[in-house]
Amino acid sequence: MVTVAVDYKNLQTFCKTVLEKSLPKDEAKNIAISLVDADLLGIHSHGVSRLTDYLVRMEDGLIERETKFTLENESHTTALYDAHNGWGQIVSKAAMENAIDKALNYGTGFVGVKNSNHFGTATYYTRMAAEKGCIGIAMTNGSAIMVPFGSREPSLGTNPLSIAIPAGEGKDPIILDMATSNVARGKIILANKNNESIPEGWAITKDGKQTTDAKEALEGFILPMGPKGSGLAIIIDILSGVLTGSLFGKDIPKMYGDPEPQQLGHFFGAINIESFIGKEDFYKNIDKKVKETVESKPSEGFDRVYMPGEIEMNRKRRREKEGVPLSQDIFNELEATGKKYGVEITDYLQVAAK
Ligand SMILES: NC(=O)c1ccc[n+]([C@@H]2O[C@H](COP(=O)([O-])OP(=O)(O)OC[C@H]3O[C@@H](n4cnc5c(N)ncnc54)[C@H](O)[C@@H]3O)[C@@H](O)[C@H]2O)c1
């Protein structure tokens, strides 16, 4: 597969400029930053490859151009926002900022969001908390493209969960960020866009048979990460959808294909470490935990053991210097989307073949 390497700041500026043709400037900027962040981490399924899809939904009237969220309910430690069908990235950033404020002032903050749209990667929000010295939690529901364990009838999204734990000054947080499927559906969308096959175990056809064909998989259903992934996805649907008064399960319209707003729910949490123990003690023991993990003896076939998030954060640092790889297909798609909005991609991106 041909890939091109692009400077991440220029990629942000290109996305921002395209989005600014329809959205308020600060909202365009925040969405561009969060999309490119996913590509820097190597989560291409949730990066700039989604820009065109989001804009198509917006043009179809399924996502509002401006995100005019409202605060529906609030206590010292909880809040509920209504996104009124705005952009998931915008309301989620505000919701996490509020959760962090509550954690810093009152120990913990839990904030729900209803009537929202796809928010990108969950890690984007949990790292916001870790940067402020808090533990961050983020999750969302999604349309029913995944079957519960043992079923061939979908009633779950690939509902992701991220938890980020600060590790001390100048150190990367520990970040778990996972879909509850075997893989995020975005990886199948990307494989389909790039004309690649997928491994067995990722999805079943609409008739319930195993498949390695990305297109067939997209017409069929995603498999959960076993019974535990299925259980987690159900809990995430309840916290994000049922608890917030948003849609959940089978009722959520599909992101690709259904001509209705998705009305997704998200759930965010922040925990102030100092409400439990002193930061110095916490970081000292986090060091110990990291050490015992990464220094444990690798088993056959492994070079070493990694902390969750370590591979992605190392990749991010490397790509900030060396550029973000984009497949030629995604580059072409961005170029066409740019043209549609009067933005010439080559004015922003100097392309080096990889
Ligand atoms: N918005 C949505 O609706 C939605 C839905 C599903 C997934 N997502 C996003 O998709 C992204 C991809 O999810 P995924 O489940 O495919 O991720 P993944 O399988 O690549 O990684 C999952 C977790 O495992 C860790 N990990 C991976 N390899 C490791 C190793 N060798 N050692 C130690 N830890 C390791 C990663 O750091 C990460 O925390 C996430 O950012 C998620 O938030 C979003």
Side-chain angles (χ1 to χ4, degrees):
M1 185 180 56
V2 184
T3 58
V4 292
V6 299
D7 177 81
Y8 84 100
K9 286 205 168 133
N10 294 342
L11 184 59
Q12 274 173 3
T13 311
F14 167 76
C15 294
K16 175 172 86 72
T17 311
V18 172
L19 285 159
E20 270 176 10
K21 302 287 174 184
S22 317
L23 276 66
K25 281 194 170 172
D26 56 334
E27 295 182 17
K29 183 176 165 199
N30 283 325
I31 295 164
I33 290 173
S34 82
L35 288 175
V36 175
D37 179 75
D39 287 301
L40 282 168
L41 293 166
I43 312 171
H44 293 290
S45 52
H46 288 68
V48 298
S49 69
R50 293 284 179 135
L51 180 70
T52 306
D53 307 337
Y54 290 149
L55 286 168
V56 166
R57 284 187 70 79
M58 185 200 71
E59 295 290 355
D60 288 348
L62 304 175
I63 304 180
E64 297 295 329
R65 284 163 197 263
E66 200 172 339
T67 304
K68 294 181 182 158
F69 56 81
T70 52
L71 193 53
E72 297 289 293
N73 216 335
E74 190 164 34
S75 74
H76 284 331
T77 54
T78 60
L80 174 67
Y81 287 93
D82 188 331
H84 298 292
N85 198 31
W87 289 68
Q89 287 84 349
I90 301 304
V91 68
S92 297
K93 181 169 177 283
M96 186 45 113
E97 277 165 357
N98 195 351
I100 296 166
D101 264 2
K102 289 177 186 306
L104 293 176
N105 286 309
Y106 302 106
T108 60
F110 285 94
V111 178
V113 175
K114 66 176 178 180
N115 297 326
S116 186
N117 282 292
H118 196 261
F119 74 10
T121 66
T123 172
Y124 190 74
Y125 311 103
T126 55
R127 271 181 292 138
M128 286 170 57
E131 277 160 22
K132 300 279 182 187
C134 293
I135 293 171
I137 303 168
M139 61 192 85
T140 181
N141 64 11
S143 55
I145 53 170
M146 186 167 90
V147 290
F149 186 71
S151 169
R152 52 194 274 195
E153 198 181 330
S155 58
L156 293 167
T158 55
N159 304 347
L161 167 71
S162 176
I163 300 178
I165 310 228
E169 201 59 43
K171 294 186 181 155
D172 286 339
I174 298 160
I175 312 160
L176 176 72
D177 181 26
M178 50 169 274
T180 42
S181 50
N182 262 339
V183 291
R185 186 171 190 263
K187 287 188 183 159
I188 304 177
I189 295 171
L190 197 63
N192 188 42
K193 281 188 181 177
N194 292 330
N195 289 317
E196 290 166 350
S197 61
I198 57 164
E200 228 173 78
W202 283 18
I204 50 174
T205 64
K206 54 181 184 300
D207 309 316
K209 299 197 175 72
Q210 288 276 351
T211 183
T212 56
D213 182 303
K215 186 166 177 290
E216 238 180 37
L218 290 177
E219 289 160 5
F221 314 120
I222 309 290
L223 288 167
M225 197 181 52
K228 299 173 200 178
S230 177
L232 257 179
I234 292 167
I235 299 294
I236 293 169
D237 201 16
I238 293 169
L239 292 177
S240 305
V242 181
L243 185 65
T244 63
S246 228
L247 291 187
F248 59 91
K250 277 183 178 171
D251 290 342
I252 300 176
K254 292 195 175 51
M255 184 169 173
Y256 298 89
D258 278 346
E260 292 155 77
Q262 284 198 291
Q263 298 181 58
L264 298 182
H266 318 307
F267 192 70
F268 302 96
I271 299 170
N272 188 341
I273 288 153
E274 287 190 318
S275 304
F276 292 83
I277 60 168
K279 273 196 176 148
E280 269 181 30
D281 284 343
F282 182 77
Y283 291 144
K284 199 171 84 208
N285 282 334
I286 286 290
D287 270 351
K288 192 173 165 194
K289 184 69 213 160
V290 172
K291 209 165 160 8
E292 77 174 7
T293 307
V294 301
E295 291 180 2
S296 66
K297 288 192 189 81
S299 67
E300 203 183 323
F302 291 85
D303 296 338
R304 53 154 290 205
V305 180
Y306 293 91
M307 288 303 286
E310 186 183 348
I311 295 172
E312 289 84 0
M313 290 303 277
N314 286 342
R315 190 180 284 136
K316 182 172 191 284
R317 256 187 301 278
R318 212 170 48 244
R319 289 184 172 182
E320 280 169 350
K321 289 201 196 101
E322 296 172 4
V324 176
L326 292 182
S327 76
Q328 190 66 53
D329 286 347
I330 297 300
F331 183 88
N332 295 347
E333 187 180 282
L334 289 176
E335 186 172 35
T337 298
K339 274 202 167 61
K340 194 171 155 199
Y341 291 92
V343 183
E344 208 51 65
I345 200 165
T346 45
D347 288 350
Y348 296 85
L349 302 181
Q350 304 300 314
V351 175
K354 272 204 115 184

